[in-house]
Structure formats: structure tokens, C-alpha cells
Amino acid sequence: MKFLIIGGDAAGMSAASRAKRQCPDLEVTVLEKTGDVSYSACGMPYNIADASKDIADLVVRQAQVFRDKQGIDLQTGHFVRSIDPVNRTVSGTTSRGAVFVHAYDRLLIATGGTPLVPDLPGFDLPGVHVLKSLDDGRRIKAFIKEKSVKRAVIIGMGYIGLEMCEALRARSIQVAMVKPGPAFLPWMAGELADAVKAEVQSHGVDLYAGQSVEKIEASGGHLKVQGGGVALDADMVLVAMGLKPGSELAQAAGLRTGVQNAIAVDRSLLTSDAYIYAAGDCADAYHIVTGEKAWVPLALRANRAGWAVADNVCGKRVELDGIAGTAVFKVFDLEVARTGLTTAEAAQAGFQPESVSVTTRSRAHAHPGSKPIQVHMVGDKDSGRLLGVQMVGREGVAHRINAPAVALHARMTVSRFSQTDLAYAPPFSPVWDPLLTAANQLLKKM
Ligand SMILES: Cc1cc2nc3c(=O)[nH]c(=O)nc-3n(C[C@H](O)[C@H](O)[C@H](O)COP(=O)(O)OP(=O)(O)OC[C@H]3O[C@@H](n4cnc5c(N)ncnc54)[C@H](O)[C@@H]3O)c2cc1C
């Protein structure tokens, strides 16, 4: 049987490796349009922050290792341009311009996502970058070095924009961030978002929220980002306005798409075609709180979905529970995390949300080095269920978010969560963990 995979990063290479491990006789071919496979995109901002590091350090496993040691037919520089579900073939062109056609018995589409870049003047100028692929990271690093970049404008204030803001400041580059929406982190509870905003501003970053960008102009060897209320000079511009699912191939092949145009898959990652799977950022998933389809482009679920596809192709039926949208990122000295639903998402999903925000400490109050932790917790007044948690703090946030993430998977009520036996010792937490304090406060309101 021939298992063909389009896309050679998180979902695609996870599927290829596991399929070959589970059924060594399976013929596994991966077609990847770039020259890079199996790398940590998530590590790029931290790599860019350090001029001495090679971007190739982020490659987890070299292409040749997949070929020689794992027996995977991995073909880089192979851009798939169409899928023919009737004849079960895919076709495309190589980086040298040759045409190829591959037949499959089972196909996995693992094409990831595509950065959103508005169709406005100047967004294609040299010096205007996106950060998605390893090649993007390579280009940005080379550009900063060659042009001795002193000023950068980041368009967008999502987590990749914020991680890059920190990275560029670490390279002593002045940073301004601009975006059309008025709220700094619109998904985050106001007081928590304010803390993140203050942290960014305290590192000398100028923030222009609520400013639409109309064009980028080249002027005197520099760039100017212009909009209704802004005219920002820069040596480099990073467009970090979000992502859309890379579902064009699937759509053109007649496969069903769903939420945000992501490829619609069932719990076994099968698309609307019985021979085609989709996994990772190009595909949707079930949200474990709402039970509805959701599109959350993050790394763990891409890797896990790749594994599940491999198991299913090898004949071991696997269905995934779904995602909680658990995410964490670092902005300068702050850890920012979320899992589950915001109040607005909960209301939209038909819950009766109640929420609370508390500020407690990361360590016992008398313990040296204790720092504030802000917790925002959302519950459902009707069922008592825990629906979501957000946290911001200087320590103890990133891994603490995993406790409510597990509680969401277990469909716990706020009351049951408040009874959980969480760890305590003065260097790590107050005796009442910040999460338990939030749950106890929320219970009073529910
Ligand atoms: C800067 C940055 C930081 C991030 N940080 C985090 C983080 O901290 N935590 C987290 O959970 N997630 C993070 N992510 C997101 C995470 O990297 C993605 O969710 C994950 O890589 C998705 O894996 P994927 O395999 O679905 O897609 P991708 O990694 O995008 O891989 C898709 C592959 O398909 C190839 N491809 C696309 N179309 C074709 C075609 N037609 N023919 C052949 N090949 C094709 C692409 O070249 C690519 O190699 C970050 C992403 C970026 C860019």
C-alpha cells in the first residue's frame, strides 16, 4: 500500500515516521515544497534573537536521516499543485521545473497554514517579511545582519508578533507595533491584557492599536508604514497578522471545508473523501468544551493528528478527543497562557458564562522572590462546568495552565476543580494555589 503525504513538517513527518514504525512494509512518500523538513517553527523567534545561532539548529531531524534510517521516500522541492481524487493521484512541479505525478492508496494533506498578508501597496517590497517557514527565518536573520536593521515595525499584535518583538529588542532594534483592532489582546480579559501591554511598553516598544495600515512605501533606502493615523519609519517590516488554513488544494479537489475554511475532518482525521486524511494547521478539530468544530493552529495537535493518521492508515482505529485551545507564550519577562473558552466564546457557544479575575502570588507570601499571578476563570452558571482559564505572571504560569487544561478534558465543574489536591511548598505556590483561589472566588459568583 502506498501512503502519500503532502507537507513535511509537524503533522506530515510525524505521520510518516509513525507509519513506517507501525507498518515497515508500507510505502511512505512525503512531498515537501521547500528544502526544509521537520523543524521547530516555534523556536524561530528565540533563534532570531541570538545572532550567533544558526537557524539550521532548529531542524529536528535531517531529511537524509528520514531517507536512510527510516526508509521514507522524502522528496523536497516538490510542490503539489493538484489532487485528483478519482484517479487517486497528485501532481505538481519540482523546484527545477519538472512535472511529477504520484499515485496513492491513502493520502494525507498536511499543508499547514498560510500567513495573512493584505493585498495593499508595498507589502511585497524588499524588507517586508512574514515568519512562517524556516526560509522566512533564514531571510529575516540575513536581512537584519546585512542591512544592520535599527528600526522595525511589526504589523499585528498576536503571539508571534509579540515573540518577535522581544526577539528584535534583544538585538537592540527599536520596535513599533501597529494593528487595526482597538484592543491589545482582544481574546484576553481586560486586566490581564493590560499587564501584558504594560510589559511590552516597559521595554520601549511603541504600540499603535486601532490604526489601520494602508500602504508601505520605500523612501530613501528605508520603509514607511502608513495608515490613517500613523506614519512609521522602519528598516524592516514584519507582517504578523495571523494565519489561514492551507486548504486550497483540498478545496480544488472538492473536499469539504468547514470552520474558517479549514479542511473538515472527522475524529479519525478522515476528510469527506474516504482515501484522504488531513492533519495539522490545514485541518479543523473538535473543541472538547463546546463539542463543535474549531480551528486552532498549534504544534501539539498537529503532531498528535499526524500520529493518529498513521495509526488509522496502518489499520488501528484511532479517534481523537479534540483540543482545548491550550496555548502559552512568553513576552519579555511575562508568561501568558490560556486554555478553553473566553467569556465571549462561551456565550457564543450557548453557555451562561460567569467569570472572575484574581491576583495572588507565585510563591508563599513570605517566601523571597514571590511574584504576582493574575488568573481569569470562566465557568457555566447552568451546569457548573469549568469553561476556560487565562493567566499572566512572571513565573509559575506556563505549566500551571496544564491543570485546568486537564480539568477541561475531564469536563470538571468549577466545584470539583476547587477540590483538587494541588501541590504546595513555599517556593512554588501559596498554600491555596492561584487556580484554587480563582475557583473558590468563581464559585461564590455562580
Ligand atoms: C514563529 C512561529 C512560532 C510558533 N510558536 C508556536 C508555539 O510556541 N507553540 C505552538 O503550539 N505552536 C507554535 N507555532 C505553530 C506551529 O509551528 C504550527 O502549528 C505547526 O508547525 C503546524 O504543523 P503543520 O505540519 O500542520 O504545518 P506546517 O508546519 O506549516 O507544515 C506544512 C508543510 O507543508 C508544506 N507545504 C504546503 N503546501 C504544500 C504543497 N502544495 N506541496 C508541498 N508541500 C507543501 C510547507 O512547506 C510546510 O513545510 C508557531 C509557528 C510559527 C511560525
Side-chain angles (χ1 to χ4, degrees):
M1 182 159 81
K2 180 153 182 176
F3 179 31
L4 186 63
I5 299 169
I6 310 173
D9 194 27
M13 292 320 298
S14 295
S17 294
R18 189 163 171 105
K20 209 57 197 169
R21 268 199 309 274
Q22 305 270 14
C23 13
D25 293 339
L26 194 69
E27 209 184 311
V28 180
T29 299
V30 180
L31 304 174
E32 164 57 48
K33 68 179 177 184
T34 70
D36 300 302
V37 293
S38 186
Y39 57 87
S40 166
C42 315
M44 287 196 290
Y46 307 98
N47 182 288
I48 290 168
D50 185 344
S52 71
K53 282 200 171 138
D54 189 339
I55 198 93
D57 292 353
L58 296 172
V59 174
V60 180
R61 199 172 299 168
Q62 300 290 340
Q64 208 53 39
V65 176
F66 286 107
R67 294 182 188 119
D68 295 346
K69 297 225 166 116
Q70 292 180 252
I72 294 166
D73 174 23
L74 170 56
Q75 306 196 16
T76 51
H78 277 59
F79 194 143
V80 175
R81 297 192 181 274
S82 65
I83 300 167
D84 177 348
V86 176
N87 294 305
R88 288 193 227 153
T89 59
V90 309
S91 54
T93 47
T94 69
S95 43
R96 293 180 176 178
V99 173
F100 64 81
V101 179
H102 278 274
Y104 62 84
D105 296 303
R106 295 291 181 278
L107 177 68
L108 167 61
I109 306 175
T111 44
T114 311
L116 292 172
V117 179
D119 186 16
L120 290 170
F123 276 73
D124 53 354
L125 284 169
V128 180
H129 299 269
V130 294
L131 181 61
K132 176 69 183 70
S133 65
L134 201 63
D135 249 349
D136 296 329
R138 213 173 262 133
R139 272 191 290 271
I140 290 174
K141 270 199 116 151
F143 191 86
I144 291 173
K145 189 174 170 194
E146 281 157 25
K147 306 286 177 186
S148 303
V149 169
K150 305 262 180 317
R151 290 168 306 178
V153 170
I154 299 175
I155 306 177
M157 297 184 194
Y159 81 94
I160 292 179
L162 290 167
E163 288 177 352
M164 277 302 291
C165 161
E166 181 185 339
L168 296 176
R169 291 298 295 128
R171 303 278 303 260
S172 303
I173 296 170
Q174 254 179 35
V175 180
M177 301 183 80
V178 57
K179 69 164 195 169
F184 173 66
L185 282 174
W187 54 268
M188 185 157 240
E191 50 282 52
L192 278 70
D194 288 346
V196 183
K197 186 175 173 183
E199 177 74 4
V200 174
Q201 287 173 321
S202 76
H203 284 82
V205 178
D206 296 323
L207 297 176
Y208 300 91
Q211 300 293 337
S212 61
V213 172
E214 284 153 15
K215 60 182 172 185
I216 304 172
E217 281 181 344
S219 75
H222 300 286
L223 297 164
K224 196 180 269 291
V225 177
Q226 294 199 329
V230 286
L232 303 168
D233 291 317
D235 305 312
M236 180 184 119
V237 174
L238 178 71
V239 183
M241 301 178 73
L243 200 69
K244 64 177 178 181
S247 56
E248 296 84 354
L249 273 177
Q251 277 181 284
L255 302 184
R256 206 165 50 235
T257 55
V259 54
Q260 297 204 45
N261 239 357
I263 305 169
V265 291
D266 66 11
R267 290 187 184 279
S268 66
L269 288 311
L270 202 58
T271 66
S272 52
D273 182 297
Y275 300 94
I276 306 179
Y277 294 87
D281 286 0
C282 62
D284 64 12
Y286 285 92
H287 198 289
I288 53 130
V289 179
T290 63
E292 301 292 326
K293 285 297 192 73
W295 183 66
V296 183
L298 286 172
L300 170 63
R301 74 139 189 146
N303 285 274
R304 179 178 281 142
W307 274 18
V309 171
D311 287 346
N312 283 314
V313 167
C314 290
K316 178 181 164 203
R317 181 138 180 95
V318 169
E319 296 201 331
L320 296 182
D321 285 352
I323 53 165
T326 311
V328 61
F329 61 95
K330 176 177 170 293
V331 195
F332 298 104
D333 296 324
L334 276 190
E335 300 173 12
V336 184
R338 71 169 285 185
T339 188
L341 305 181
T342 65
T343 301
E345 287 166 348
Q348 205 178 3
F351 293 106
Q352 294 294 317
E354 184 58 84
S355 67
V356 75
S357 293
V358 301
T359 303
T360 68
R361 310 291 300 180
S362 60
R363 308 179 189 188
H365 90 280
H367 198 86
S370 169
K371 310 264 180 0
I373 287 191
Q374 289 172 272
V375 182
H376 178 79
M377 188 173 280
V378 184
D380 179 30
K381 278 193 280 196
D382 280 354
S383 63
R385 268 179 78 186
L386 178 67
L387 298 178
V389 172
Q390 304 172 3
M391 279 194 282
V392 170
R394 287 179 195 280
E395 64 174 12
V397 161
H399 292 294
R400 198 170 246 121
I401 199 69
N402 289 330
V406 172
L408 292 180
H409 278 270
R411 301 173 72 86
M412 283 176 115
T413 60
V414 177
S415 172
R416 275 194 63 215
F417 184 69
S418 76
Q419 298 290 325
T420 51
D421 186 16
L422 302 190
Y424 161 66
F428 306 114
S429 160
V431 67
W432 289 96
D433 188 276
L435 288 165
L436 295 178
T437 301
N440 288 334
Q441 295 300 324
L442 182 54
L443 275 177
K444 288 184 195 160
K445 292 174 84 177
M446 288 169 71

